[in-house]
Amino acid sequence: MKPRINSRLNLTANSFAGLALLLLLLLVSPSLAGNLTVSGRAGLYSPPGVGASASVMYGLGAEYSITSFLSARAAVETTTYSVAGIQTTLTPVTVDIIYRQTLLGMLTPYVGAGIGYYTATVGPLTSSTIGVQAETGLKFTIGGFDAGVEARYLLPDTKTAATGSMSYNAYMTGSFLQSFNI
């Protein structure tokens, strides 16, 4: 974990890596013959640290249904917040396995966990780490409209437990969601 000064180049490289991962999912998924859902993501991020300001975390996600109970989700997200007046940008590229169970045809509780590549830019220094995350949520389906709530625990650096933080998401899908039956 060596700090780098060129944060713009690193953010661009991470964005490219995330988009490449999503494109790879699109190319590989026809051989797996399932359902791929692409959507925007947004939520409230509560960063670690005394005096850290909450911020909005947003990004793009792609979820592939492996079975009716199991799916894989890849996401690229970013958020910028302040800790003691120092601006921090966190960009996770994550892959999760999610178990879900549909109840009454319209309620879908789920739990999941996965691994991620986390890039943090604090002032002029950028570092990259391997982290893990876990989530739980509830999705509601009424007609062709989906909405839900989700809580995610993010641990951007598996070597340091003090980096753990929460992200709370509420989402609605419809106009910004696209599903592909492959």
Side-chain angles (χ1 to χ4, degrees), residues 63 65 67-71 73 98-112 135-143 145-151 171 173:
E63 188 166 343
S65 297
T67 70
S68 61
F69 300 106
L70 199 61
S71 64
R73 177 174 64 192
I98 299 170
Y99 176 80
R100 63 180 181 269
Q101 182 73 45
T102 302
L103 308 170
L104 306 171
M106 56 191 266
L107 295 175
T108 306
Y110 60 91
V111 296
E135 62 264 345
T136 185
L138 181 62
K139 178 176 149 185
F140 310 91
T141 303
I142 301 171
F145 179 75
D146 292 340
V149 293
E150 176 180 89
Y171 57 90
T173 59

Side-chain angles (χ1 to χ4, degrees), residues 6-7 20 27 41 51 55 72 74 85 95 99 110 139 167 171 173 179:
N6 195 345
S7 62
L27 294 174
R41 300 175 51 80
S55 64
V95 177
Y99 176 80
Y110 60 91
K139 178 176 149 185
S167 173
Y171 57 90
T173 59
S179 294

Side-chain angles (χ1 to χ4, degrees), residues 66-136:
I66 299 167
T67 70
S68 61
F69 300 106
L70 199 61
S71 64
R73 177 174 64 192
V76 178
E77 299 172 291
T78 190
T79 187
T80 300
Y81 57 92
S82 293
V83 177
I86 299 172
Q87 184 171 314
T88 300
T89 299
L90 179 67
T91 305
V93 178
T94 59
V95 177
D96 298 316
I97 298 296
I98 299 170
Y99 176 80
R100 63 180 181 269
Q101 182 73 45
T102 302
L103 308 170
L104 306 171
M106 56 191 266
L107 295 175
T108 306
Y110 60 91
V111 296
I115 190 165
Y117 176 77
Y118 290 79
T119 301
T121 302
V122 181
L125 301 176
T126 298
S127 63
S128 300
T129 56
I130 298 297
V132 294
Q133 62 279 340
E135 62 264 345
T136 185

